[in-house]
Structure formats: structure tokens, C-alpha cells
Amino acid sequence: MEDKTNIRLTAAEMSSLWTQYINDTLAVCVNSYFLKKVEDEEVRPIVEWTLDTAKENISIMQELFQREDFPIPIGFTEQDVNLQAPRLFSDTFFLMYLRHMSTLAMSTSSLSLRLATRPDVVTFHKRVLNKGVELQDKTRDLMLKQGTYVRPPYISTPDKVDFVEKQHFLAGFFGKRRSLTSVEISHLFFNIETNSVGKVLITGFAQTAQNDEVKQFFSRGKQLSKKYVDTFSKFLIKEDLSAPMGWDSAVLDTTTNIFSDKLMMYHVSAMTAAGIGNFGISLAASPRRDLGLKYASLIPEISLYAEDGANIMIKHGWMEEPPQTDDRNQLIQN
């Protein structure tokens, strides 16, 4: 019987494994610090479980890379985190952050599974997906127990099935606007929540960054996150719906360097990329014109921010290069 693990990795498989490896080395650094600082004995086991999961993922990928003679990415190491630094975030934020990371893990692993072919790679991404679901369950259950979980808004249950009959359904600029659909509400809520988490994280990063250019970049990101939270919250409030609460009090006053500027820049860049994707999906799911246009107007702004972040990383030699196709023209010239 043919050994399907001897089939070469596709570009998609290389990309997903390479990215997952970088992300898991970051997760080891972040959760090692969290584990040193966590005080809540109910939160501690979840942080520990997340750390162990990331380490197990790294071990699996290292073996796979070695079998393929694939250079093991550098990612992030113990040099990128100061475990002796003072506490920067509250235990409540640790939990909210891990819940947000589980959402990203489920999203990226789902895409990786769609493009994976080799059985061993498929099995690995199924593991990542299942672990992401498990982490989502663990964090949700504890947040519900501790009273820190914020549910999306409630709306009335429909009386009957109905169909759109007028173009007014798409209106949004002039005259009377229709009320938001449950789909539009869901995307607004999710974007508020993710930007709230991002705002807290980037505030802590801005306080502890060493490089002035990086500090300014994070300060700008903090203002953008606040702008997006306020913008999306207004849509909900106009409909007499509740918006998620802020987490500003989750950041403590330490300014001691905790994570390397390289790690923090990568982390913010990855979350920004996810944010661009969220805005694109929300745009496609929001037929009301004023809401769709708002998403469309924000995508260029956040894309420019992402580009500026990439330029800073390149300038300082912090951007590890992903696998690339051969440059045939260069090979011919040589």
C-alpha cells in the first residue's frame, strides 16, 4: 500500500505548517508569561493547558519538518519574553485573550484543512481545530461561571418566515432605514469584541515597547481600535441594542519590557491581518448600504496600518520569510 506521507508537501501545506509553527512559538512565550503571573486558580489550569498544547504542536511539526528536510522556522524563543517582568494584564483579560486566540485557531485551522491533502497534515490540522474548540469551551464556561462573559444582543423571535420584496431592504443613506438583521448584528458584535481585545493588548504593548517607532505604531493602533469599537457600537446603540463592554481596566501600570519588540510587532500584525479578513466577511454579509460602505471605507485604512507594520518589521530584520516559489528568471540568469 502506498505511503501517502512520502508525497511532497504542497505550497498550501507548507504555508499552513510554517504559519502554525510561528504562531505556536509565540503562544509558548505569551502563555509562559501568563502562567507566571496568573493568580486566579480557575484560570491557571486553562493557561497551563494552552501552553502544553502549543508545545505539543511544536513537537509534532518539528518531526514533520525534519522528515521533509524542511528548515525549521525560528519563530520566537525564550529570548523574546522576560518571565521575571511585573504583571501587565488582569486574570480576566488572560481569559478573554485565550478565548479570542481560540477563535483565530478555529478559523485558520478550518482553512488549512480545506487545502490540506496529505493524511499526516490533515490529521495535524484536525488536532489544531479540535484543540481550538476545546479552548473555546473552557474559556466560555469559566467566563459564564465568573460572570465576565458578554452575550451578543437579544432580538425578538420572528413571527413567520418572510421574503424581501422591496429594494428598500438595501437602503441606508436616505429616508427611513430598515432595522439591522441578526446577521449584521452578529458581525458588528464580533468586530467590537475583537477590537476591544486588540485595544487592551496593544495598550499593554505600547507601555512596554523599547523602540520609539514601535511605540508610536502601537499608539496609532490603539486609536484605530478605539475608533472601530466606537463606530460599530453606534450602529447597535441606534437600534437600542447593547454593545460589548470595554476592558480598559485590564491593563496594569507596568512599563517594564516583557516581550521583545519583534514578538509584539508580529502579534499585532497577525491580529491586524485577521481584522482585515473580518471586515471583508462583514462587508459581504451586510446588505444595508450605510453599513457596507462603512466596512469598505475602513479596509483601506487598516490595510495601510498593516503595511506600515510590515515595513517596520522589515527595517529591523524581524520579519521571517515564508516559503517561496523558485525565481525562474534568476535561475536562468545564473
Side-chain angles (χ1 to χ4, degrees):
M1 187 174 179
E2 181 186 7
D3 182 3
K4 293 189 172 116
T5 59
N6 286 331
I7 300 171
R8 292 173 58 196
L9 292 171
T10 66
E13 289 166 339
M14 284 186 185
S15 170
S16 62
L17 290 168
W18 184 89
T19 303
Q20 186 67 42
Y21 189 89
I22 301 290
N23 290 342
D24 275 317
T25 59
L26 181 146
V28 167
C29 291
V30 171
N31 285 287
S32 294
Y33 170 74
F34 284 179
L35 192 58
K36 279 279 188 180
K37 306 305 169 187
V38 66
E39 296 173 354
D40 190 322
E41 292 305 318
E42 290 184 306
V43 176
R44 179 180 295 278
I46 299 178
V47 175
E48 197 164 19
W49 181 91
T50 307
L51 177 59
D52 290 342
T53 298
K55 288 180 177 179
E56 290 164 3
N57 286 346
I58 289 171
S59 179
I60 293 170
M61 286 184 285
Q62 284 177 339
E63 290 180 11
L64 196 155
F65 287 145
Q66 288 168 355
R67 288 199 306 269
E68 296 295 317
D69 290 326
F70 188 104
I72 297 176
I74 295 172
F76 303 98
T77 69
E78 59 186 13
Q79 303 300 317
D80 292 296
V81 57
N82 176 12
L83 299 180
Q84 308 309 316
R87 183 183 177 87
L88 179 60
F89 300 111
S90 69
D91 288 348
T92 302
F93 179 72
F94 288 169
L95 203 55
M96 187 67 185
Y97 169 89
L98 291 178
R99 181 167 178 269
H100 181 63
M101 290 300 105
S102 73
T103 302
L104 292 179
M106 290 188 292
S107 176
T108 56
S109 57
S110 297
L111 176 60
S112 298
L113 271 173
R114 185 169 68 86
L115 298 174
T117 308
R118 254 176 52 168
D120 56 341
V121 179
V122 169
T123 298
F124 173 72
H125 287 305
K126 283 182 179 179
R127 168 193 160 82
V128 175
L129 176 59
N130 291 333
K131 293 291 186 180
V133 172
E134 190 173 350
L135 180 57
Q136 181 81 189
D137 290 342
K138 288 177 181 291
T139 53
R140 183 198 308 111
D141 291 348
L142 183 54
M143 292 179 75
L144 284 168
K145 178 183 176 183
Q146 295 187 342
T148 57
Y149 185 87
V150 181
R151 298 175 188 269
Y154 290 96
I155 61 173
S156 301
T157 303
D159 296 325
K160 58 185 174 61
V161 175
D162 210 347
F163 289 87
V164 176
E165 296 179 351
K166 297 180 180 179
Q167 294 297 320
H168 172 70
F169 185 81
L170 306 177
F173 295 116
F174 305 105
K176 184 180 177 181
R177 298 180 181 131
R178 64 158 172 81
S179 57
L180 293 170
T181 66
S182 58
V183 177
E184 291 167 338
I185 292 169
S186 299
H187 284 280
L188 285 167
F189 182 89
F190 181 72
N191 282 305
I192 294 168
E193 192 175 58
T194 55
N195 277 281
S196 295
V197 173
K199 180 173 176 285
V200 173
L201 187 70
I202 207 168
T203 298
F205 285 177
Q207 285 181 196
T208 58
Q210 299 298 291
N211 183 281
D212 287 339
E213 186 177 23
V214 172
K215 277 182 174 289
Q216 292 173 7
F217 178 76
F218 290 158
S219 295
R220 179 177 155 205
K222 176 185 174 183
Q223 294 306 312
L224 287 177
S225 295
K226 182 180 184 302
K227 172 185 174 180
Y228 300 152
V229 169
D230 292 344
T231 298
F232 299 138
S233 294
K234 286 177 182 176
F235 279 99
L236 294 181
I237 293 170
K238 283 181 181 178
E239 305 277 343
D240 295 320
L241 298 171
S242 60
M245 64 180 183
W247 295 83
D248 292 357
S249 61
V251 187
L252 306 184
D253 62 358
T254 183
T255 57
T256 304
N257 179 237
I258 299 169
F259 303 109
S260 68
D261 288 357
K262 171 189 170 184
L263 183 149
M264 293 188 290
M265 283 297 303
Y266 175 85
H267 202 343
V268 170
S269 295
M271 292 183 73
T272 303
I276 295 172
N278 291 338
F279 285 1
I281 294 171
S282 300
L283 170 61
S286 304
R288 208 175 85 175
R289 291 194 187 103
D290 60 330
L291 185 53
L293 182 63
K294 179 57 66 176
Y295 285 121
S297 69
L298 297 179
I299 290 174
E301 180 180 52
I302 191 174
S303 297
L304 180 61
Y305 181 71
E307 181 181 342
D308 290 343
N311 286 330
I312 292 174
M313 294 175 71
I314 293 169
K315 174 182 175 181
H316 293 281
W318 294 335
M319 182 178 284
E320 195 166 341
E321 194 171 280
Q324 295 181 353
T325 187
D326 296 323
D327 186 336
R328 298 297 174 184
N329 291 329
Q330 185 178 9
L331 290 174
I332 291 170
Q333 291 172 3
N334 289 340

